[in-house]
Amino acid sequence: MNIFQQFYKSLYSPKDITLFRFQGIGKTILYVFFLTLLSIIPTVFYSSTAIVNSLNAIDETIDSDLPDFQIKDGELLTDQEAPVTINQNGFAIIVDSTGTVKPSAFSNSDNTIALLKNDLYIIAAGQEQSYPYSMLTNGTLTRESLSDYLVSAKSLVPIIIPLIAIVIYIFTAGIRFIEISILALIGLLIKNALGKNLQYRHLWRMSAYSITLPTVFFTIMAALQTAVPNGAFINWFVSLIILLLAVKEVSQQTQK
């Protein structure tokens, strides 16, 4: 049975998951990497789209709407007496040299760049990062030089996006292996309670396939950009139920 058939069977058949415990560990690890690749597609897509849209929105804003400014000696300097907020293509840009705007004011935003008095704040896809100006430049940064930097950044997008995808993939794969290992440990308690003769290596393989259904569900929800309340609890609960059903499918005759 190839990896795609295993994927299909794992969505609905605990009995087939039980049989997968006899296969080589290499094939199971390959399946986990395949499942990880499938699960990160929405994240990589929306992150890449956010990066491209953000750069385009910033480029348009710098050329047309952004006020003149200087970043000198780690401080933002403008002629504006009040904060300036620009919304373009679902992206917000805040320029405030007065110190009026606080990071908490936009911490719940999805896509925002805030040039504050002493720090640059970037929020993309709900992830927030802050950088002191002193770390970004030792000299003077103006609107014109920022535009030049942006042109260079846009040329690097075909390199940056694959690198981000690789980082997300490696991080998610690590989380998947930890999740499977913990699930297999819980499986030891389940098999003892049911009196099944299974070893940890069998349970690890079965656990790798037991996470298929919740992984597909949350991948679809991510693709629809729909938040699932108590998602972690649902993920673990469904995985444990499938593993429990798979362990129960181990016949006494097979054990002997």
Side-chain angles (χ1 to χ4, degrees):
M1 188 179 297
N2 63 42
I3 197 170
F4 300 105
Q5 291 173 317
Q6 288 183 323
F7 172 75
Y8 175 69
K9 293 285 187 181
S10 298
L11 290 173
Y12 68 91
S13 177
K15 184 175 182 180
D16 284 288
I17 291 176
T18 301
L19 299 177
F20 295 156
R21 74 187 188 277
F22 295 120
Q23 71 179 17
I25 188 63
K27 188 172 183 179
T28 306
I29 291 175
L30 179 63
Y31 181 81
V32 176
F33 281 121
F34 163 74
L35 202 61
T36 301
L37 179 63
L38 181 69
S39 68
I40 68 168
I41 290 175
T43 302
V44 171
F45 173 78
Y46 286 118
S47 297
S48 302
T49 302
I51 290 172
V52 173
N53 290 342
S54 300
L55 290 174
N56 291 334
I58 295 169
D59 191 18
E60 294 176 13
T61 303
I62 289 175
D63 292 336
S64 58
D65 302 319
L66 200 67
D68 289 327
F69 68 86
Q70 279 191 346
I71 297 175
K72 187 175 182 180
D73 298 328
E75 185 175 343
L76 177 66
L77 304 173
T78 71
D79 295 331
Q80 306 297 315
E81 297 180 356
V84 176
T85 301
I86 303 166
N87 292 292
Q88 185 146 349
N89 298 330
F91 206 92
I93 299 177
I94 301 171
V95 180
D96 176 33
S97 60
T98 65
T100 304
V101 178
K102 303 300 180 184
S104 58
F106 51 81
S107 58
N108 294 324
S109 303
D110 289 330
N111 297 296
T112 302
I113 289 183
L115 296 168
L116 302 186
K117 190 173 182 63
N118 300 108
D119 301 275
L120 168 67
Y121 283 83
I122 300 176
I123 301 177
Q127 301 298 315
E128 179 179 333
Q129 298 290 334
S130 63
Y131 307 94
Y133 296 132
S134 56
M135 185 179 74
L136 298 177
T137 179
N138 294 323
T140 300
L141 181 65
T142 64
R143 189 180 73 167
E144 290 74 20
S145 58
L146 180 61
S147 181
D148 294 337
Y149 287 140
L150 187 61
V151 171
S152 300
K154 290 176 72 173
S155 67
L156 294 175
V157 166
I159 300 174
I160 294 173
I161 289 178
L163 288 176
I164 292 175
I166 291 172
V167 170
I168 293 175
Y169 181 65
I170 293 173
F171 177 78
T172 306
I175 296 297
R176 284 279 178 267
F177 280 106
I178 294 172
E179 178 185 354
I180 292 167
S181 299
I182 295 174
L183 192 62
L185 287 173
I186 300 174
L188 290 174
L189 301 177
I190 295 175
K191 70 97 177 178
N192 288 336
L194 297 178
K196 302 295 185 179
N197 184 22
L198 291 168
Q199 298 179 19
Y200 180 79
R201 58 191 176 92
H202 298 139
L203 290 165
W204 198 95
R205 291 174 173 87
M206 293 165 64
S207 297
Y209 292 93
S210 296
I211 68 171
T212 301
L213 181 59
T215 298
V216 170
F217 170 75
F218 284 105
T219 300
I220 294 173
M221 291 298 101
L224 298 175
Q225 293 187 296
T226 303
V228 180
N230 303 313
F233 172 78
I234 294 173
N235 178 62
W236 282 101
F237 178 76
V238 174
S239 298
L240 282 170
I241 291 298
I242 294 175
L243 180 60
L244 171 62
L245 294 175
V247 172
K248 289 179 67 176
E249 287 291 337
V250 177
S251 66
Q252 296 298 329
Q253 182 177 3
T254 302
Q255 294 182 71
K256 293 177 183 178

